[in-house]
Amino acid sequence: GNQITRKGTPESFEAVKRTLDAIQQGLADNPAMPAATGLKLANQAVYHFNEEAKSSSGASAVVLRDLGGRLEVAHVGNCRAYLFRADKLTLLTEDHSLINDYKRFADGKFDEQALARYRNIITRAVGMTADLEPTITNVIPQPGDLLLLCSDGLHGFVYDDELEHFMKAGEPHPGVICQLLLEATLGSTPADDNIAIMVLRVPGEAP
């Protein structure tokens, strides 16, 4: 896979660092650890840090695990996972965000521009509360599938139809896709926002 990141604020960077450390330690202790368990371990680490440091840092996160014939995606916040198959991009996750909650109950009647100011308000995050329930999505992979994992520093500024275009332009090379997506954000993403992009390819030729 390929990953391109840019730091956000110091507080968000600390939360991200502790999230990654906790997941890596969990995998070292149990290589078969499910994705959701990794996020729960990360939540404990960030929550305890917040209590000790009197901080309110938190992190959105998405984790993908290959469980042998099945891919498990666990997420919290507004990090996303997409599946690109047969030239079509499909969103696998649903944002835990104020905007998404509003849209769910607005019956299609809302002003996209008016809501934009609330795009960074998330309703579930690593470290936000003592207990965390990630949302789980399972995918049966096919040869040639591409998986895109990203933060809102990408999907908040590059719309899904554009993401699909760049996936088509760069396939089957994850590194090329990452570079195309990163270049698409230049000049549009605020300097203090985090950009994280990872593209993974299932081995084999697409049917």
Side-chain angles (χ1 to χ4, degrees), residues 161-178:
D161 59 342
E162 297 174 292
L163 294 178
E164 183 176 86
H165 166 77
F166 290 120
M167 297 293 284
K168 289 179 182 178
E171 71 166 332
H173 306 292
V176 173
I177 295 171
C178 277

Side-chain angles (χ1 to χ4, degrees), residues 23-34 37 41 65:
I23 293 174
Q24 289 171 351
Q25 184 59 55
L27 287 172
D29 295 339
N30 176 18
M33 178 185 72
T37 302
L41 291 174
R65 292 281 286 148

Side-chain angles (χ1 to χ4, degrees), residues 19 39 42-48 50 55-59 125-130 132:
T19 296
L39 285 180
N43 185 70
Q44 293 173 6
V46 177
Y47 183 77
H48 291 318
N50 284 341
S55 172
S56 58
S57 61
V126 174
M128 182 180 287
T129 58
L132 179 70

Side-chain angles (χ1 to χ4, degrees), residues 5 16 34 41 61 74 81 109 122 202:
T5 60
V16 169
L41 291 174
K109 300 175 182 177
I122 55 178
V202 177

Side-chain angles (χ1 to χ4, degrees), residues 4-8 13 153 182 185-187 189-196:
I4 302 171
T5 60
R6 184 178 73 196
K7 291 191 296 184
F13 178 66
L182 182 64
T185 68
L186 297 179
T189 304
D192 62 348
D193 207 346
N194 171 276
I195 299 175

Side-chain angles (χ1 to χ4, degrees), residues 4-104:
I4 302 171
T5 60
R6 184 178 73 196
K7 291 191 296 184
T9 64
E11 294 79 9
S12 67
F13 178 66
E14 183 64 35
V16 169
K17 179 180 181 302
R18 289 177 180 271
T19 296
L20 292 173
D21 288 347
I23 293 174
Q24 289 171 351
Q25 184 59 55
L27 287 172
D29 295 339
N30 176 18
M33 178 185 72
T37 302
L39 285 180
K40 290 181 179 181
L41 291 174
N43 185 70
Q44 293 173 6
V46 177
Y47 183 77
H48 291 318
F49 166 76
N50 284 341
E51 285 195 316
E52 294 172 1
K54 300 188 184 306
S55 172
S56 58
S57 61
S60 291
V62 59
V63 179
L64 174 68
R65 292 281 286 148
D66 183 354
L67 300 180
R70 173 173 64 90
L71 301 178
E72 181 190 65
V73 179
H75 87 284
V76 292
N78 56 8
C79 283
R80 291 182 178 179
Y82 293 86
L83 170 67
F84 183 74
R85 175 186 291 169
D87 287 341
K88 181 175 177 57
L89 188 69
T90 303
L91 178 62
L92 299 176
T93 54
E94 184 175 347
D95 296 348
H96 302 135
S97 67
L98 184 63
I99 287 180
N100 214 40
D101 287 350
Y102 181 83
K103 288 180 177 179
R104 192 180 301 116

